[in-house]
Amino acid sequence: MLIVMKTDHKSADVEAVSQRVKKLGYVPHLIPGEQALAIGITGNANAIDPSQFSDISGIKETIRVTKPYKLASRDFKKTDTVIPVGSTSIGGSDFTLIAGPCAVESEDQLLRIARAVKLAGATILRGGAYKPRTSPYSFQGLGVEGLQMLSRARQETGLPFITEAVDSESLEHVAEYADIIQIGARNMQNFSLLKQAGKLRKPVLIKRGPSSTIEELLLAAEYILAGGNSQLILCERGIKSFDPHTRNMLDISAVISIKLGSHLPVIVDPSHGSGRREMIVPLARAAAAVGADGVMIDVHDIPEEALCDGAQAIHPDVFRRLVGTLGAVVQAIS
Ligand code: PEP
Ligand code: MN
């Protein structure tokens, strides 16, 4: 349930509601909104009778939340969530451009690409230091050394960076260095990792699992929000399909469904979402056209030498031309 407070409520009213919720054995979550303060209630197995709060003043209305995910739902928060990242932000009216190599391979490689994507208009740098690879014989990433290279690239270009944590140990390191912590598709339902990320107070981007429904994604998000970390971004990166013409099938309609059901920002990853370089530009435009909050794109200047996912990386020049056309798409639908 969601309790919406009147605009002229007193702080004692909020305290009284919180105490009553706790007395009932549930958890209150204060949600400041543009119009009014709301208090979300979680921890209840069944519907709560609103009359349990009728003696408390300052309450405007109570709203039943029927979705299994609560804090992630639009019932809980009507307005779009905006996540500040460095001097930029994700969500709201901005269209975010995240770009960089799939994996950090060397300082030279990263700096070359970071400079190029910055020049092209990217606002956030991507690059994996811990790589979840299908084969144990594939390049696994440079670990902490890679995080230090990303930090140097940030220092030089001014771009904040996103990088993936694959387990509890790497999460600690990633949280120390990164501006946004990525939880990859394979870990979307790693519930202990989600709980650990929920304890942090740093932006987290969670990618949809290749075989996960949108409701499962939103419930994964709920783990992080319920832990008290409200700086959360969702990412559509394609799902398993019967047709091998693409590596994954980018579910562009997921953006619309997520936005209808949730206030959280949605980023689209057309690189992992297709696995095919030639599809990235049109899919990125499609993402902008359906109202995504941004795209995350693999960019490599020598893709044929990439240690990871070269086939789905576009050249910095192609990225620059894409950036030049995306603004018109964003403007057309705003
Ligand atoms: C990545 O972004 O580098 C990545 C591994 O993505 P995903 O988890 O979507 O496969
Ligand atoms: Mn990749």
Side-chain angles (χ1 to χ4, degrees):
M1 191 166 76
L2 182 67
I3 297 180
V4 184
M5 304 303 290
K6 289 180 182 162
T7 43
D8 61 350
H9 72 264
K10 304 200 169 46
S11 56
D13 301 332
V14 177
E15 189 51 31
V17 173
S18 296
Q19 287 308 328
R20 182 70 51 88
V21 172
K22 285 181 194 160
K23 209 171 144 207
L24 291 166
Y26 311 139
V27 186
H29 302 263
L30 263 54
I31 308 166
E34 271 163 34
Q35 314 291 332
L37 173 81
I39 300 159
I41 306 173
T42 59
N44 53 304
N46 300 306
I48 300 169
D49 179 0
S51 70
Q52 310 216 59
F53 299 90
S54 53
D55 61 312
I56 301 174
S57 55
I59 294 176
K60 184 171 163 232
E61 59 177 331
T62 57
I63 301 169
R64 232 187 116 192
V65 181
T66 50
K67 303 269 189 331
Y69 49 91
K70 297 185 183 298
L71 303 174
S73 96
R74 262 216 202 266
D75 296 340
F76 253 9
K77 187 169 177 283
K78 294 266 178 287
T79 55
D80 289 340
T81 289
V82 179
I83 316 283
V85 180
S87 59
T88 178
S89 59
I90 301 181
S93 56
D94 290 341
F95 190 80
T96 302
L97 297 162
I98 307 173
C102 183
V104 178
E105 300 167 10
S106 68
E107 180 140 355
D108 183 51
Q109 171 251 18
L110 181 66
L111 279 175
R112 276 191 335 257
I113 299 171
R115 285 183 200 122
V117 297
K118 159 93 184 189
L119 212 61
T123 46
I124 298 174
L125 176 67
R126 68 147 288 147
Y130 298 90
K131 295 307 302 175
R133 303 304 299 275
T134 304
S135 165
Y137 306 119
S138 301
F139 176 61
Q140 302 285 312
L142 298 177
V144 173
E145 221 188 315
L147 296 175
Q148 288 165 346
M149 291 173 188
L150 283 159
S151 302
R152 285 196 283 277
R154 172 176 55 200
Q155 208 172 8
E156 195 194 299
T157 61
L159 291 175
F161 70 85
I162 175 169
T163 193
E164 179 168 353
V166 291
D167 54 21
S168 166
E169 191 191 337
S170 57
L171 180 59
E172 280 182 30
H173 296 305
V174 168
E176 190 187 327
Y177 290 92
D179 299 280
I180 307 173
I181 300 153
Q182 178 170 318
I183 295 190
R186 292 161 190 79
N187 268 318
M188 191 204 88
Q189 287 190 314
N190 181 340
F191 300 116
S192 63
L193 194 63
L194 298 178
K195 282 182 193 168
Q196 208 183 331
K199 290 194 188 121
L200 302 172
R201 295 296 174 264
K202 243 194 180 186
V204 172
L205 176 143
I206 180 163
K207 297 184 97 175
R208 180 182 181 188
S211 306
S212 296
T213 64
I214 288 163
E215 185 166 295
E216 286 164 345
L217 170 64
L218 291 169
L219 281 166
E222 194 74 11
Y223 266 90
I224 294 169
L225 297 172
N229 188 356
S230 56
Q231 299 179 72
L232 188 57
I233 303 140
L234 305 176
C235 180
E236 162 59 38
R237 49 76 75 202
I239 49 175
K240 289 262 179 234
S241 121
F242 61 88
D243 193 333
H245 84 114
T246 52
R247 181 183 181 187
N248 292 293
M249 184 174 66
L250 189 70
D251 181 4
I252 211 78
S253 67
V255 178
I256 307 163
S257 286
I258 297 169
K259 291 234 152 238
L260 287 171
S262 176
H263 53 87
L264 295 169
V266 184
I267 296 291
V268 167
D269 177 346
S271 299
H272 293 83
S274 68
R276 290 179 60 179
R277 177 175 308 129
E278 61 276 24
M279 291 192 171
I280 293 169
V281 167
L283 287 175
R285 291 185 185 135
V290 293
D293 295 288
V295 283
M296 178 155 74
I297 295 179
D298 285 8
V299 174
H300 204 296
D301 56 353
I302 321 172
E304 56 282 9
E305 286 178 16
L307 296 180
C308 183
D309 289 348
Q312 63 184 41
I314 55 172
H315 193 273
D317 291 341
V318 177
F319 177 69
R320 182 170 40 79
R321 286 198 293 275
L322 168 66
V323 175
T325 62
L326 271 177
V329 182
V330 175
Q331 216 171 9
I333 63 149
S334 63

